[in-house]
Short mmCIF file of all heavy atoms in Angstrom, two decimals:
data_model
loop_
_atom_site.label_atom_id
_atom_site.label_comp_id
_atom_site.label_asym_id
_atom_site.label_seq_id
_atom_site.Cartn_x
_atom_site.Cartn_y
_atom_site.Cartn_z
N PHE A 295 0.83 -1.19 -0.01
CA PHE A 295 0.02 0.01 0.02
C PHE A 295 0.88 1.26 -0.01
O PHE A 295 0.55 2.21 -0.70
CB PHE A 295 -0.99 0.02 1.20
CG PHE A 295 -1.83 1.23 1.19
CD1 PHE A 295 -2.98 1.28 0.40
CD2 PHE A 295 -1.50 2.32 1.95
CE1 PHE A 295 -3.77 2.44 0.37
CE2 PHE A 295 -2.28 3.50 1.95
CZ PHE A 295 -3.39 3.55 1.16
N ASP A 296 1.93 1.29 0.76
CA ASP A 296 2.74 2.48 0.86
C ASP A 296 3.39 2.84 -0.50
O ASP A 296 3.45 4.01 -0.84
CB ASP A 296 3.84 2.33 1.94
CG ASP A 296 3.27 2.26 3.32
OD1 ASP A 296 2.18 2.79 3.58
OD2 ASP A 296 3.96 1.68 4.21
N GLU A 297 3.84 1.85 -1.22
CA GLU A 297 4.41 2.07 -2.56
C GLU A 297 3.35 2.59 -3.52
O GLU A 297 3.57 3.48 -4.30
CB GLU A 297 5.07 0.82 -3.10
CG GLU A 297 5.68 1.01 -4.43
CD GLU A 297 6.86 1.99 -4.49
OE1 GLU A 297 7.32 2.48 -3.45
OE2 GLU A 297 7.27 2.39 -5.61
N GLU A 298 2.13 1.99 -3.47
CA GLU A 298 1.07 2.45 -4.34
C GLU A 298 0.71 3.90 -4.02
O GLU A 298 0.55 4.76 -4.93
CB GLU A 298 -0.19 1.58 -4.19
CG GLU A 298 -1.38 2.06 -4.96
CD GLU A 298 -1.22 1.99 -6.47
OE1 GLU A 298 -0.40 1.25 -6.99
OE2 GLU A 298 -1.88 2.83 -7.17
N ALA A 299 0.62 4.22 -2.72
CA ALA A 299 0.31 5.59 -2.32
C ALA A 299 1.35 6.56 -2.78
O ALA A 299 1.09 7.69 -3.22
CB ALA A 299 0.16 5.65 -0.78
N ARG A 300 2.62 6.16 -2.71
CA ARG A 300 3.71 7.03 -3.17
C ARG A 300 3.58 7.29 -4.68
O ARG A 300 3.71 8.44 -5.12
CB ARG A 300 5.09 6.37 -2.89
CG ARG A 300 6.26 7.25 -3.25
CD ARG A 300 7.58 6.53 -3.06
NE ARG A 300 7.79 5.52 -4.06
CZ ARG A 300 8.19 5.75 -5.37
NH1 ARG A 300 8.38 7.02 -5.76
NH2 ARG A 300 8.39 4.77 -6.23
N ARG A 301 3.32 6.23 -5.43
CA ARG A 301 3.28 6.36 -6.88
C ARG A 301 2.03 7.16 -7.37
O ARG A 301 2.06 7.88 -8.32
CB ARG A 301 3.32 5.04 -7.51
CG ARG A 301 4.68 4.38 -7.44
CD ARG A 301 4.70 2.95 -7.96
NE ARG A 301 5.96 2.38 -7.89
CZ ARG A 301 6.82 2.25 -8.93
NH1 ARG A 301 6.49 2.69 -10.10
NH2 ARG A 301 7.98 1.67 -8.77
N ILE A 302 0.92 6.95 -6.71
CA ILE A 302 -0.38 7.54 -7.18
C ILE A 302 -0.41 9.05 -6.92
O ILE A 302 -1.16 9.75 -7.53
CB ILE A 302 -1.59 6.83 -6.52
CG1 ILE A 302 -2.90 7.09 -7.27
CG2 ILE A 302 -1.75 7.25 -5.04
CD1 ILE A 302 -2.98 6.46 -8.61
N ARG A 303 0.44 9.56 -6.08
CA ARG A 303 0.43 11.00 -5.79
C ARG A 303 0.75 11.83 -6.99
O ARG A 303 0.41 13.05 -7.04
CB ARG A 303 1.41 11.30 -4.64
CG ARG A 303 0.81 10.92 -3.29
CD ARG A 303 1.77 11.26 -2.13
NE ARG A 303 1.10 11.07 -0.86
CZ ARG A 303 1.20 9.90 -0.16
NH1 ARG A 303 1.93 8.87 -0.66
NH2 ARG A 303 0.56 9.79 0.98
N GLY A 304 1.29 11.26 -8.05
CA GLY A 304 1.57 12.03 -9.25
C GLY A 304 0.36 12.49 -9.99
O GLY A 304 0.43 13.34 -10.88
N ILE A 305 -0.82 11.93 -9.65
CA ILE A 305 -2.05 12.39 -10.33
C ILE A 305 -2.73 13.52 -9.66
O ILE A 305 -3.68 14.10 -10.23
CB ILE A 305 -3.08 11.20 -10.52
CG1 ILE A 305 -3.65 10.78 -9.19
CG2 ILE A 305 -2.41 10.05 -11.24
CD1 ILE A 305 -4.89 9.94 -9.31
N ASP A 306 -2.30 13.94 -8.49
CA ASP A 306 -3.07 14.98 -7.77
C ASP A 306 -3.22 16.29 -8.48
O ASP A 306 -4.26 16.94 -8.30
CB ASP A 306 -2.58 15.14 -6.29
CG ASP A 306 -1.20 15.70 -6.15
OD1 ASP A 306 -0.53 15.99 -7.20
OD2 ASP A 306 -0.72 15.83 -5.02
N PRO A 307 -2.30 16.72 -9.35
CA PRO A 307 -2.57 17.97 -10.10
C PRO A 307 -3.78 17.87 -11.05
O PRO A 307 -4.37 18.87 -11.37
CB PRO A 307 -1.31 18.25 -10.86
CG PRO A 307 -0.24 17.43 -10.23
CD PRO A 307 -0.95 16.22 -9.64
N GLY A 308 -4.17 16.68 -11.42
CA GLY A 308 -5.25 16.49 -12.38
C GLY A 308 -6.59 16.17 -11.71
O GLY A 308 -7.57 15.94 -12.40
N LEU A 309 -6.59 16.15 -10.38
CA LEU A 309 -7.83 15.78 -9.69
C LEU A 309 -8.74 17.00 -9.45
O LEU A 309 -8.23 18.08 -9.24
CB LEU A 309 -7.52 15.12 -8.37
CG LEU A 309 -6.81 13.75 -8.44
CD1 LEU A 309 -6.41 13.24 -7.09
CD2 LEU A 309 -7.68 12.72 -9.16
N PRO A 310 -10.04 16.77 -9.40
CA PRO A 310 -10.96 17.88 -9.11
C PRO A 310 -11.11 18.16 -7.63
O PRO A 310 -11.96 18.96 -7.24
CB PRO A 310 -12.29 17.41 -9.70
CG PRO A 310 -12.21 15.93 -9.58
CD PRO A 310 -10.74 15.57 -9.75
N ILE A 311 -10.29 17.55 -6.81
CA ILE A 311 -10.29 17.79 -5.36
C ILE A 311 -8.93 18.34 -4.94
O ILE A 311 -7.93 18.06 -5.61
CB ILE A 311 -10.65 16.51 -4.57
CG1 ILE A 311 -9.63 15.41 -4.80
CG2 ILE A 311 -12.09 16.07 -4.87
CD1 ILE A 311 -9.84 14.13 -3.89
N PRO A 312 -8.87 19.13 -3.84
CA PRO A 312 -7.55 19.63 -3.37
C PRO A 312 -6.62 18.50 -2.97
O PRO A 312 -7.03 17.42 -2.57
CB PRO A 312 -7.94 20.49 -2.19
CG PRO A 312 -9.42 20.65 -2.20
CD PRO A 312 -9.96 19.55 -3.04
N ALA A 313 -5.34 18.80 -3.06
CA ALA A 313 -4.30 17.83 -2.71
C ALA A 313 -4.47 17.35 -1.27
O ALA A 313 -4.26 16.20 -0.95
CB ALA A 313 -2.88 18.38 -2.91
N SER A 314 -4.86 18.25 -0.39
CA SER A 314 -5.04 17.87 1.05
C SER A 314 -6.16 16.90 1.19
O SER A 314 -6.07 15.90 1.99
CB SER A 314 -5.32 19.10 1.88
OG SER A 314 -6.49 19.78 1.44
N GLN A 315 -7.23 17.00 0.42
CA GLN A 315 -8.32 16.06 0.45
C GLN A 315 -7.89 14.71 -0.11
O GLN A 315 -8.29 13.63 0.41
CB GLN A 315 -9.52 16.62 -0.32
CG GLN A 315 -10.80 15.77 -0.23
CD GLN A 315 -11.94 16.41 -0.96
OE1 GLN A 315 -11.99 17.64 -1.15
NE2 GLN A 315 -12.91 15.62 -1.38
N PHE A 316 -7.09 14.74 -1.19
CA PHE A 316 -6.57 13.51 -1.76
C PHE A 316 -5.72 12.79 -0.73
O PHE A 316 -5.77 11.58 -0.59
CB PHE A 316 -5.77 13.85 -3.02
CG PHE A 316 -5.29 12.63 -3.78
CD1 PHE A 316 -6.15 11.56 -4.09
CD2 PHE A 316 -3.95 12.54 -4.17
CE1 PHE A 316 -5.70 10.49 -4.81
CE2 PHE A 316 -3.49 11.46 -4.86
CZ PHE A 316 -4.35 10.41 -5.19
N GLU A 317 -4.93 13.52 0.04
CA GLU A 317 -4.08 12.89 1.10
C GLU A 317 -4.95 12.27 2.16
O GLU A 317 -4.66 11.16 2.64
CB GLU A 317 -3.14 13.96 1.74
CG GLU A 317 -1.97 14.34 0.86
CD GLU A 317 -1.08 13.18 0.52
OE1 GLU A 317 -0.81 12.34 1.38
OE2 GLU A 317 -0.60 13.13 -0.63
N ARG A 318 -6.07 12.90 2.51
CA ARG A 318 -6.98 12.30 3.47
C ARG A 318 -7.63 11.02 2.93
O ARG A 318 -7.85 10.06 3.65
CB ARG A 318 -8.04 13.33 3.95
CG ARG A 318 -7.50 14.45 4.80
CD ARG A 318 -8.56 15.24 5.52
NE ARG A 318 -9.58 15.79 4.69
CZ ARG A 318 -9.51 16.92 3.93
NH1 ARG A 318 -8.41 17.63 4.03
NH2 ARG A 318 -10.51 17.32 3.23
N LEU A 319 -7.92 11.05 1.61
CA LEU A 319 -8.47 9.86 0.93
C LEU A 319 -7.48 8.71 1.02
O LEU A 319 -7.84 7.58 1.31
CB LEU A 319 -8.86 10.18 -0.48
CG LEU A 319 -9.41 9.03 -1.33
CD1 LEU A 319 -10.67 8.42 -0.73
CD2 LEU A 319 -9.65 9.51 -2.76
N ILE A 320 -6.22 9.01 0.69
CA ILE A 320 -5.18 7.97 0.77
C ILE A 320 -5.07 7.42 2.21
O ILE A 320 -5.02 6.18 2.38
CB ILE A 320 -3.84 8.54 0.27
CG1 ILE A 320 -3.89 8.79 -1.24
CG2 ILE A 320 -2.69 7.56 0.60
CD1 ILE A 320 -2.68 9.55 -1.77
N ALA A 321 -5.09 8.31 3.17
CA ALA A 321 -4.98 7.88 4.56
C ALA A 321 -6.18 6.98 4.94
O ALA A 321 -6.06 6.00 5.66
CB ALA A 321 -4.87 9.07 5.47
N ALA A 322 -7.35 7.39 4.49
CA ALA A 322 -8.59 6.62 4.83
C ALA A 322 -8.47 5.23 4.17
O ALA A 322 -8.88 4.23 4.80
CB ALA A 322 -9.84 7.34 4.35
N CYS A 323 -7.98 5.16 2.94
CA CYS A 323 -7.82 3.84 2.30
C CYS A 323 -6.81 2.99 3.08
O CYS A 323 -6.99 1.77 3.16
CB CYS A 323 -7.36 4.03 0.85
SG CYS A 323 -8.67 4.68 -0.22
N GLY A 324 -5.78 3.65 3.61
CA GLY A 324 -4.81 2.89 4.36
C GLY A 324 -5.33 2.31 5.68
O GLY A 324 -4.80 1.34 6.20
N ASP A 325 -6.36 2.97 6.21
CA ASP A 325 -7.02 2.52 7.43
C ASP A 325 -8.42 2.01 7.14
O ASP A 325 -9.28 2.06 8.03
CB ASP A 325 -7.10 3.68 8.43
CG ASP A 325 -5.77 4.07 9.01
OD1 ASP A 325 -4.90 3.17 9.15
OD2 ASP A 325 -5.58 5.23 9.38
N LEU A 326 -8.57 1.42 5.99
CA LEU A 326 -9.90 0.96 5.55
C LEU A 326 -10.57 -0.02 6.53
O LEU A 326 -11.78 0.03 6.75
CB LEU A 326 -9.78 0.30 4.21
CG LEU A 326 -11.06 0.16 3.38
CD1 LEU A 326 -11.76 1.54 3.20
CD2 LEU A 326 -10.76 -0.40 2.01
N ASP A 327 -9.75 -0.85 7.14
CA ASP A 327 -10.33 -1.82 8.10
C ASP A 327 -10.89 -1.11 9.34
O ASP A 327 -11.64 -1.77 10.09
CB ASP A 327 -9.33 -2.92 8.45
CG ASP A 327 -8.03 -2.38 8.96
OD1 ASP A 327 -7.72 -1.17 8.75
OD2 ASP A 327 -7.29 -3.13 9.63
N ARG A 328 -10.55 0.10 9.56
CA ARG A 328 -11.03 0.81 10.78
C ARG A 328 -12.18 1.75 10.41
O ARG A 328 -12.76 2.33 11.32
CB ARG A 328 -9.89 1.62 11.37
CG ARG A 328 -8.82 0.72 11.92
CD ARG A 328 -7.78 1.49 12.74
NE ARG A 328 -6.61 0.66 12.86
CZ ARG A 328 -5.44 0.92 12.32
NH1 ARG A 328 -5.25 2.00 11.59
NH2 ARG A 328 -4.44 0.12 12.51
N GLU A 329 -12.49 1.91 9.13
CA GLU A 329 -13.61 2.80 8.73
C GLU A 329 -14.93 2.07 9.00
O GLU A 329 -15.17 1.00 8.52
CB GLU A 329 -13.50 3.14 7.24
CG GLU A 329 -12.40 4.07 6.86
CD GLU A 329 -12.60 5.50 7.44
OE1 GLU A 329 -13.76 5.91 7.61
OE2 GLU A 329 -11.58 6.12 7.73
#
């Protein structure tokens, strides 16, 4: 997961959400079993 998260960050300039929100989304996916 950590490697995927590192690599996927390259798309954040093309997303319709702010980078900070994208970071929260990545963090939520990393803790998916706790959601």
Side-chain angles (χ1 to χ4, degrees):
F295 181 82
D296 292 335
E297 180 63 12
E298 176 64 26
R300 182 186 73 77
R301 288 174 179 261
I302 197 71
R303 283 183 172 92
I305 69 165
D306 67 0
L309 294 175
I311 60 174
S314 59
Q315 185 176 338
F316 185 50
E317 286 299 322
R318 290 194 307 277
L319 177 60
I320 291 171
C323 288
D325 288 330
L326 199 54
D327 55 341
R328 294 187 197 113
E329 288 293 331

